[in-house]
Amino acid sequence: MTTTTTAAAPSTNAAQVAASEPDFETLAKRVDDAISALNQLDDGSRAVAEEVKAAIEAVHRAGLITMVRRMRADDAARPVLFELADDPVVHLLLSLHGIVRPDPMTHANRVLVEVRPQLQSHGGDVTLVRIEDGTAFVRLEGACNGCSMSSVTLRNLVESALTENVPSVTGVEVLANEPSPTLIPLESLRIGPDPASEGWVSAGPSADVHDGDLVVRRLTATSGEQAEVIVVNVGQRLSAYRNECAHEGLPLDNAVLDVVGGTLTCPWHGFCYDASSGECLTAPGAQLEQLPLRVDRGELWVRVGT
């Protein structure tokens, strides 16, 4: 009589095995905890531990590279490889070992993270907008987007960082920050029969402020309110502002007025403004405090009170 022996079925199946394995968050926490403990070791012990870590990572990388190469060479296995690479955990693992490269936008943003502290230490920042045909389009903010030599240096820093560290980027184009117009209510420009009672203060003859001039006036309204004001003339267009840079409130007595470009540049940190509207071209959203100004019978009037 012949007997047939049937092997016992495994007590667990693949789903049960997968369920028993720690999830990604748990594994990541173990890594973080191990690194924290590693940093607490003395120099000698830490050096040994880091060498062990590097050796293990090198073995893992070599094994992963072999697996990826063989799967890519196999027509049947290649689709499975691409499917695995789309898995967030697998993709992270392959990225950590430098086996797959991040997309250009991710790579470029990582590079900018490295230079951002230097930009921010000078009051600037950068935003990567897009990458097209090898050109990275960026928007510079703060001191990076101005008229001073320091802003040029910071822009060169961004360009060098991207073109030298991101293979797919061959050039950088800076997108302009367009200022929006500053509006002063029409009612505030009307001069009544008694200008002083409405906060208007004479700033002297308009003929004293020539094209290309920047003059400082210290004005006091009848209410007692005082204001130090700069009056600028660009192309025979007069504008009045409080004598305070929007950056740190420093005076603009020695600001550089560029009549051709229509800009006013703070002498302290290079913040650049539209001379006719007060809009800051260096830090979008900031602006000089513009004061109502009128010329009446050859006299300049600036409203500093109510």
Side-chain angles (χ1 to χ4, degrees), residues 282-293:
T282 301
Q287 67 180 60
L288 299 177
E289 183 181 348
Q290 190 169 24
L291 299 174
L293 179 148

Side-chain angles (χ1 to χ4, degrees), residues 89-156:
V89 178
V90 176
H91 191 276
L92 176 61
L93 178 63
L94 297 177
S95 298
L96 289 175
H97 287 283
I99 298 172
V100 296
R101 294 181 179 178
D103 63 273
M105 285 290 291
T106 300
H107 193 177
N109 274 312
R110 288 177 181 173
V111 169
L112 293 178
V113 166
E114 299 298 321
V115 301
R116 184 164 281 117
Q118 188 172 349
L119 300 177
Q120 293 176 342
S121 69
H122 291 275
D125 208 340
V126 60
T127 300
L128 178 64
V129 178
R130 65 183 186 276
I131 297 177
E132 291 181 2
D133 300 325
T135 299
F137 293 84
V138 301
R139 181 165 285 112
L140 300 176
E141 304 165 9
C144 296
N145 183 35
C147 309
S148 64
M149 287 302 296
S150 61
S151 68
V152 175
T153 301
L154 295 177
R155 276 181 275 180
N156 289 340

